[in-house]
Amino acid sequence: MTDSDDEANDLLINILNNNTKNIEIKEIKEHDILVFQIKNNGRKHVGIYLGNDYFIHQCGNTISRKQLLDNRWQSKIKRAYRHPSLV
Amino acid sequence: MDYLTEGFLVLTLMSLNSFNKEIISYSKENKAEEICGFVLLCPDNSVEITKEVNVNPDPSKSFSISPQKFINYSINKKILGIYHSHPFSDESPSAQDILCSEESGIPYLIHSLQTNKFFLYYPESYDPAELIGRPYVKGFYECTCLFKDYFLKNLNLNITKWNKNY
C-alpha cells in the first residue's frame, strides 16, 4: 500500500527524464527544474529556479517559499531539467 | 483506462498522512456503500476531513454531497479535495468522477476497498493556489505539486496531470 522513498524518487527522476531535457547545472536559467538530494538516504527534493540566484520550493512540513540559492543549496543540486518548450 | 499511456503522470507518494488513515478506517467501516467527505485546510493550516452523508439514491455505486456543504465549508476553510471510496472497484476515477471533478475544479481523492490504494485525480480545471506561503499537505501542497503548479500558473504549461496513485 505504501511505497518507499526510493520508488518515489525513481519515479520522479524517470518522469523528468522522459518529459524534460537534462541540462548542465552551471547552465540553469529561469523556469528550470532543480532536483536536490537533501539527505544522505537518497531522498530527492524538487524546486524551480527563478533566476538571479533565487528558487522556489517546498520542503516537508514547511511553508512554500522563495529562497536564495546559496552555497548550501547549490551543493545539494543533483540534476537540472528544462521544459522542452523552453529549450 | 491506463493513465500512463493516456499521457497522465503518476507519482507515488511516500507515506500516508493521518487523514489518509482516517479515510481508510472510514471506508472499512462502510463496506457496502461509498463513503465521502471533504479534505479541508483550516485557518491554522491544519488539515481535517469531514464525514458527509452520501445522499446518492444508489450509494453502493456512486456518491453525492449536499451542495450546501460546499458553501458552508468554503466560508472559513479551503476545500483541498473531495474524497470518496470505491467499495467494489479499483481506485481509478470513474467517468462520473472525472466529470464532477472537472465541473467543480476540485481534486478527487479516491480510496479503493478492493486494492486498498488511493488515487488523487487533478482536474484540468484546477486553479492552483498561490505558490508562496502554502502549508505542507502531502498530496496537495508539496514540492512536486509546487513544480506542477508553477508551470501552470506562470507559463500556462499543463506539463502533467499529476494523478497520484498511492
Side-chain angles (χ1 to χ4, degrees), chain B residues 2-166:
Chain B
D2 184 334
Y3 287 90
L4 282 173
T5 57
E6 289 289 328
F8 292 78
L9 282 181
V10 178
L11 259 197
T12 307
L13 289 187
M14 289 170 274
S15 61
L16 295 177
N17 272 333
S18 58
F19 69 80
N20 298 109
K21 293 173 182 171
E22 276 187 76
I23 293 169
I24 293 172
S25 296
Y26 188 30
S27 291
K28 290 181 176 176
E29 291 168 8
N30 297 272
K31 294 180 178 177
E33 61 182 52
E34 294 192 6
I35 54 98
C36 55
F38 295 92
V39 181
L40 300 172
L41 180 65
C42 302
D44 65 357
N45 285 343
S46 63
V47 177
E48 68 178 33
I49 66 162
T50 68
K51 295 180 179 179
E52 303 301 334
V53 175
N54 183 351
V55 295
N56 193 281
D58 190 356
S60 67
K61 294 180 180 174
S62 191
F63 82 98
S64 303
I65 298 174
S66 164
Q68 186 61 41
K69 295 286 186 175
F70 287 79
I71 299 169
N72 292 347
Y73 290 125
S74 298
I75 293 172
N76 294 319
K77 298 172 183 176
K78 179 174 177 57
I79 299 174
L80 295 176
I82 293 172
Y83 74 87
H84 71 282
S85 65
H86 283 176
F88 307 111
S89 60
D90 69 22
E91 67 278 11
S92 303
S94 66
Q96 183 69 14
D97 291 336
I98 291 171
L99 180 66
C100 292
S101 178
E102 292 293 347
E103 283 182 348
S104 65
I106 299 174
Y108 267 34
L109 179 63
I110 303 161
H111 176 253
S112 166
L113 270 170
Q114 296 298 312
T115 64
N116 204 22
K117 289 182 178 179
F118 282 94
F119 198 107
L120 179 52
Y121 178 82
Y122 271 92
E124 293 275 357
S125 56
Y126 176 66
D127 182 18
E130 288 300 316
L131 300 176
I132 293 176
R134 299 176 175 189
Y136 181 82
V137 182
K138 185 149 282 197
F140 294 97
Y141 293 158
E142 55 179 285
C143 68
T144 49
C145 301
L146 192 68
F147 156 45
K148 165 188 66 87
D149 292 347
Y150 175 92
F151 275 86
L152 188 59
K153 279 185 90 78
N154 291 346
L155 300 169
N156 200 28
L157 291 172
N158 194 350
I159 58 170
T160 61
K161 201 157 167 129
W162 291 71
N163 296 288
K164 301 190 175 186
N165 192 6
Y166 62 106

Side-chain angles (χ1 to χ4, degrees), chain A residues 10-84:
Chain A
D10 290 346
L11 195 52
L12 172 63
I13 296 301
N14 283 339
I15 286 169
L16 291 171
N17 282 337
N18 291 335
N19 295 278
T20 63
K21 180 177 172 54
N22 198 337
I23 59 168
E24 296 289 329
I25 294 170
K26 62 185 178 185
E27 296 176 354
I28 60 171
K29 64 179 186 179
E30 186 181 12
H31 310 312
D32 284 344
I33 304 151
L34 306 176
V35 176
F36 303 90
Q37 185 164 333
I38 52 175
K39 290 182 179 175
N40 291 332
N41 62 9
R43 185 171 177 183
K44 301 295 190 298
H45 175 58
V46 183
I48 300 286
Y49 186 59
L50 300 173
N52 298 319
D53 292 331
Y54 277 89
F55 73 115
I56 185 172
H57 71 128
Q58 182 164 26
C59 279
N61 295 319
T62 65
I63 300 291
S64 60
R65 67 185 70 184
K66 177 181 175 181
Q67 190 163 358
L68 183 66
L69 191 66
D70 57 16
N71 289 338
R72 186 174 72 89
W73 278 103
Q74 285 183 34
S75 69
K76 297 177 187 299
I77 300 175
K78 292 303 172 191
R79 298 183 191 213
Y81 297 88
R82 187 167 297 156
H83 189 278

